[in-house]
Amino acid sequence: MPASQRWHLMCGLTTHGAWSKADFEVVHAGAGDTIFGQYGAVRMSEETYESTLAQLLAAGLGGRHEAHIERSLWLKLAANAAINPLTALLEKNNGCILEEEQISRCKEICKEVAAVAAASWHQQGFASLCPSAAEMEDFALDTARRTSPNRSSMLQDVLAERPTEIDYLNGWLVTKARTFGLEVAENAQLTALIKEKERRFLEPKAADAGKEVSDSNAPVVLKSAVGRRQLGKAAFSTQLVGRFTMAPKEIIKKIGEDGFDMEEFKAQVYKEGCKKLHIVDVYTAWCGPCLSIVPTFKNLQMNIDYFEDRCTITQAERTCLPEFEERFPETSKPRFLFYKEGEEVMQIEGLKAPEILKFIEENLPAIETEE
């Protein structure tokens, strides 16, 4: 293909804050910075790049050229990966990131982003210096400070009950991390929490859009293209499989749901001489139970013989039991408590899947057989 007909990539990013008030009416809510640059192997000629940049600046977009835009792209990614999902979960403006609890989470998120960035730098051989976790954290907090009264785009999507960009932020980081053999537990948890929040308003909308089942063996038909798009491929597949296959017994119970109350929980966990392993996920109400570990538990159920007869899993909000409320402060980190024979035998703070799996493997009771 002649060079004049090839597609070229010119990167740009902005930290300006804006939101749509109505059709063709945009509110400029916070001043920021706009930069342009060239990235990777697909580059314009310098002449084309300079000409395009001049046209953008002449149009009143402002901004400047940056020789190593990859640094700014990763800094912006870190800021969005921290600010967007946290504000969407809390349903608060950007300034909430400056609260002590959220600063701690922001730090963990940026550490994970920095690890993925460092692996990318090594892979692509960038000439610039990879941003550190501290630089990413400083940039994220500074962005939150400068845009404190603003609503993040993800929060706006949640409030408007629209699909969010989580798959392109934290979800992308989780996928990218896997290619490098890295674990990014904080980003994985945020992705799962936002996906669950989405599910609560998208699935009812998809249902309202219209489903048609002609008989018990027919496939599910979503009449509306909007319904199909909102439900999403993963949720649609899950619903389809769940409708026509025998699902395994639900192993995870939440106190206060489906008739499972506090008295039944206490009788189950504190029963003397009970050989079962009881796992309790203690969570804070505004954050919700740990969804990232659920697939791990489901996988154990599918692959370990009689798992549900040897183990129970309960989700408990920290204020439901006075001893939990007294022991555990409000935090976004889950706490997993393990009980055997009526006694607490182990506590694991945070989503530490390898440690959790190891403890389950070592403490799962043997299968009881009849003599």
Side-chain angles (χ1 to χ4, degrees):
M1 180 183 291
S4 60
Q5 296 180 24
R6 291 176 190 162
W7 289 97
H8 299 281
L9 179 64
M10 179 177 181
C11 291
L13 63 88
T14 185
T15 55
H16 284 276
W19 57 279
S20 177
K21 186 175 182 180
D23 290 344
F24 309 109
E25 186 176 357
V26 177
V27 176
H28 185 205
D33 193 18
T34 302
I35 63 172
F36 299 98
Q38 302 212 63
Y39 181 87
V42 185
R43 290 170 171 261
M44 298 177 175
S45 68
E46 286 301 316
E47 182 181 351
T48 304
Y49 174 76
E50 293 294 341
S51 172
T52 305
L53 182 59
Q55 292 177 53
L56 291 170
L57 297 180
L61 293 176
R64 57 184 171 79
H65 164 72
E66 187 163 297
H68 299 293
I69 198 171
E70 61 272 7
R71 278 182 53 84
S72 294
L73 290 172
W74 278 91
L75 287 169
K76 181 69 158 55
L77 174 61
N80 286 143
I83 294 171
N84 290 26
L86 291 177
T87 54
L89 288 171
L90 296 170
E91 296 190 5
K92 293 182 178 180
N93 292 352
N94 291 359
C96 74
I97 303 300
L98 303 175
E99 297 168 5
E100 185 176 350
E101 173 71 22
Q102 306 317 318
I103 288 175
S104 176
R105 291 202 78 177
C106 178
K107 185 173 185 176
E108 291 303 311
I109 293 164
C110 289
K111 279 172 62 177
E112 294 179 355
V113 177
V116 179
S120 295
W121 244 254
H122 178 74
Q123 182 188 64
Q124 299 192 42
F126 291 126
S128 57
L129 185 65
C130 178
S132 66
E135 286 180 285
M136 290 182 176
E137 182 187 351
D138 287 345
F139 183 83
L141 294 177
D142 182 59
T143 300
R145 197 172 293 112
R146 287 188 292 107
T147 61
S148 179
N150 295 3
R151 290 177 174 177
S152 71
S153 57
M154 194 173 292
L155 173 57
Q156 292 181 53
D157 286 337
V158 164
L159 295 177
E161 298 191 345
R162 299 187 297 254
T164 72
E165 73 270 45
I166 190 67
D167 287 333
Y168 304 97
L169 291 174
N170 308 76
W172 179 86
L173 281 163
V174 172
T175 302
K176 191 71 174 175
R178 287 198 194 107
T179 67
F180 296 125
L182 298 173
E183 183 179 350
V184 286
E186 193 74 22
N187 282 277
Q189 184 184 41
L190 286 173
T191 302
L193 289 170
I194 292 294
K195 297 296 281 186
E196 173 62 16
K197 200 174 182 77
E198 281 184 338
R199 184 190 65 77
R200 291 174 186 172
F201 57 74
L202 291 182
E203 285 191 2
K205 281 190 175 184
D208 292 341
K211 301 174 194 171
E212 183 179 284
V213 183
S214 59
D215 58 59
S216 60
N217 295 314
V220 174
V221 177
L222 293 183
K223 293 179 180 178
S224 165
V226 173
R228 289 195 298 272
R229 184 167 59 251
Q230 288 181 333
L231 182 59
K233 183 176 180 182
F236 181 70
S237 299
T238 301
Q239 200 168 85
L240 195 63
V241 170
R243 185 181 292 271
F244 299 112
T245 63
M246 183 64 71
K249 177 182 176 182
E250 181 55 58
I251 192 175
I252 302 174
K253 293 183 178 181
K254 182 187 265 189
I255 296 176
E257 292 188 0
D258 300 322
F260 185 66
D261 59 20
M262 181 56 64
E263 293 307 312
E264 189 175 350
F265 167 72
K266 289 180 178 179
Q268 172 181 280
V269 172
Y270 298 121
K271 184 178 179 181
E272 292 184 13
C274 179
K275 294 181 180 179
K276 279 188 178 182
L277 176 64
H278 301 287
I279 305 171
V280 183
D281 170 11
V282 182
Y283 64 91
T284 302
W286 54 259
C287 186
C290 179
L291 298 177
S292 298
I293 197 69
V294 169
T296 300
F297 290 147
K298 298 278 190 181
N299 188 53
L300 291 173
Q301 183 184 14
M302 295 295 291
N303 291 286
I304 295 180
D305 291 339
Y306 304 104
F307 184 74
E308 59 264 37
D309 295 328
R310 304 157 69 190
C311 180
T312 70
I313 301 168
T314 302
Q315 295 170 336
E317 202 279 318
R318 57 177 285 276
T319 61
C320 72
L321 202 62
E323 67 178 75
F324 287 171
E325 186 172 14
E326 186 177 338
R327 285 175 62 188
F328 308 127
E330 287 194 52
T331 177
S332 57
K333 284 187 178 181
R335 286 181 172 85
F336 297 95
L337 309 182
F338 299 83
Y339 293 82
K340 287 190 78 173
E341 300 187 354
E343 300 288 338
E344 182 181 329
V345 293
M346 181 65 170
Q347 175 187 333
I348 296 177
E349 182 176 346
L351 182 57
K352 300 173 182 175
E355 191 174 337
I356 293 169
L357 288 171
K358 184 173 185 291
F359 188 83
I360 293 173
E361 181 183 354
E362 293 175 350
N363 290 274
L364 204 61
I367 299 173
E368 293 187 357
T369 56
E370 294 182 4
E371 295 295 334

